[in-house]
Amino acid sequence: KNVGELHLLNGMIVIPVTIYCGWLSSFYQDRHLILIFMSITLFGMMSLIDVTDFLSDNDGNYNENNWFAVGPKRYILGSVIAFSGVEACESFVASLLSKVVPSELATGTFNAGLLATLVGTGGRATGDVVITVLGLVSLRHILNLLMVPSCALVLLSIGLVSFNYDILYIAP
C-alpha cells in the first residue's frame, strides 16, 4: 500500500549509514566491518521470516492477530535493517576490492570498477527474475520463499569471509 514511503525511508537512511561506515572505516579494518554488517543484515532478514507460515493451516486469514506473524511494523523495521546492512556491506566490499585488485585491472576501459558494476547489474537482474518466479510459485508465501534462501546465502557469505579472514588483511 505504502511502498513508496518505505523506499523513501530506505533512501533517506542510505546517506547517513554511508557516512557512518566511512567514519567507522578509519578505526576498523574492512574485513571486520564486513562481518559486523553482514550479521546486522542477517538479523534484519531473519526478522522478516514469518514462522507462522510454517505452522499455519492456511485458512486464508494471513496469520492475523498472531504475535509471531510478520506485520507492517516488523516488515518495515526488518527491511530497513536488512537494506541498511546490505548498503553498508557494499561500501566495505568496494573498499576492499579497490585495495586487492591486480594492477592490470586498475587501468583501462575494462577495469575493476566496470566489472563490479556489471556484476552488480547482473545480480539485480537475476534477483528480479527470481522474485518474479517465486511470486508465480506462491504469492501468499513469497516473503518466506525469498528470505529463507537469502538468510542461507548471507550465512554462507559470513562463513566465507570468516574462512578467508586472514587473506583479506590489508596492511595499513
Side-chain angles (χ1 to χ4, degrees):
K1 179 179 169 182
N2 297 321
V3 176
E5 292 174 7
L6 179 60
H7 288 304
L8 174 68
L9 178 64
N10 279 335
M12 288 174 35
I13 289 176
V14 168
I15 293 174
V17 166
T18 305
I19 291 170
Y20 181 65
C21 291
W23 179 76
L24 281 177
S25 66
S26 62
F27 300 106
Y28 301 100
Q29 295 179 9
D30 291 334
R31 62 187 182 155
H32 182 69
L33 292 170
I34 287 172
L35 286 176
I36 289 172
F37 281 94
M38 277 189 175
S39 300
I40 291 170
T41 301
L42 182 64
F43 173 75
M45 293 174 93
M46 288 180 72
S47 70
L48 292 173
I49 295 175
D50 194 342
V51 294
T52 59
D53 278 347
F54 300 120
L55 307 172
S56 74
D57 56 2
N58 200 9
D59 58 1
N61 66 0
Y62 293 100
N63 308 328
E64 292 173 0
N65 301 321
N66 190 325
W67 191 81
F68 293 108
V70 176
K73 291 176 186 173
R74 186 167 147 195
Y75 181 81
I76 291 169
L77 186 63
S79 65
V80 166
I81 291 170
F83 183 79
S84 299
V86 167
E87 287 297 320
C89 283
E90 186 177 355
S91 64
F92 298 126
V93 168
S95 173
L96 197 57
L97 177 67
S98 71
K99 296 171 186 169
V100 298
V101 68
S103 59
E104 296 84 23
L105 289 177
T107 59
T109 304
F110 295 104
N111 57 28
L114 175 66
L115 295 176
T117 301
L118 292 174
V119 168
T121 302
R124 280 186 278 285
T126 304
D128 290 344
V129 170
V130 168
I131 291 169
T132 302
V133 169
L134 291 178
L136 293 172
V137 170
S138 173
L139 199 54
R140 164 71 176 90
H141 298 286
I142 191 167
L143 189 60
N144 281 346
L145 289 172
L146 289 169
M147 288 304 129
V148 172
S150 296
C151 286
L153 289 174
V154 173
L155 272 173
L156 176 67
S157 299
I158 290 171
L160 288 172
V161 171
S162 298
F163 181 76
N164 295 303
Y165 194 77
D166 294 333
I167 297 170
L168 296 174
Y169 175 73
I170 305 297

